[in-house]
Amino acid sequence: MRIILLGPPGAGKGTQARRLVEEYGIPHLSTGDMLRAAVDAETCIGRKVRETMANGGLVPDQLVIAAVIERISQPDTERGFVLDGFPRTIAQAVSFDDLLDTEGLTLDHVVELKADETVLLDRIERRARETREQGAVVRADDNHETLKARIDAYNEQTAPLVDYYRSRNLLRSVDGLQPVEVVASDVFRAIAQT
């Protein structure tokens, strides 16, 4: 089962990915983790990524896609995977689809976790406040400005994927602002309906 989770930052993609991993016994793939693993393993892709990052550049789409393809060719993804945070753009999605097709694979499901921006911003501020009150360290990106910038980037670059995957009849949308258990139930139901 090959699944992509879409949704703005803070919508609960990581939480739902963990549930899908538990339910289906497939790995959760994060592009950041994949790129770091490629660098650590000193693969050809990893060396190119290290060089790009050392020069302060953003990792180009083709390297990100190559890292994803390299990762999904490993034995633990034979039964499928959950992708969270990739693809981020239409160009990445088209390239990824082409590469999957070359490998004789297809996506099975794309689940969008819908969430209102105002609620997400309130949620992150509340989480930061509660963390401070408990005497714990607040994550550097747990603030209004950073989350707003990340949501704006999502809306500009990634949100168009909703229509892209809807046109391919792969997209199912779930209200990501419901209680975690209800969201999980709705995600499993959306997957079962496809």
Side-chain angles (χ1 to χ4, degrees), residues 33-114:
D33 291 346
M34 284 181 255
L35 292 172
R36 283 186 290 279
V39 168
D40 291 345
E42 296 189 12
T43 65
C44 179
I45 293 165
R47 287 189 294 275
K48 290 177 183 175
V49 168
R50 181 187 314 237
E51 181 180 320
T52 301
M53 291 170 34
N55 293 326
L58 293 175
V59 179
D61 280 357
Q62 287 314 108
L63 279 180
V64 173
I65 292 165
V68 171
I69 292 298
E70 182 177 81
R71 177 62 181 94
I72 66 171
S73 68
Q74 295 176 8
D76 68 331
T77 65
E78 190 172 293
R79 294 182 53 228
F81 51 80
V82 179
L83 271 169
D84 158 21
F86 179 87
R88 291 192 186 273
T89 65
I90 296 285
Q92 285 183 351
V94 170
S95 293
F96 186 57
D97 288 343
D98 290 345
L99 289 168
L100 283 175
D101 189 48
T102 299
E103 298 293 320
L105 303 172
T106 58
L107 286 174
D108 297 307
H109 309 283
V110 178
V111 179
E112 173 197 23
L113 298 179
K114 296 175 77 165

Side-chain angles (χ1 to χ4, degrees), residues 4-8 11 13 83-87 110-114 154 158-159 161-162 165 171:
I4 289 177
L5 291 178
L6 291 177
K13 295 182 301 294
L83 271 169
D84 158 21
F86 179 87
V110 178
V111 179
E112 173 197 23
L113 298 179
K114 296 175 77 165
Y154 172 83
T158 309
L161 290 172
V162 169
Y165 286 119
L171 184 82

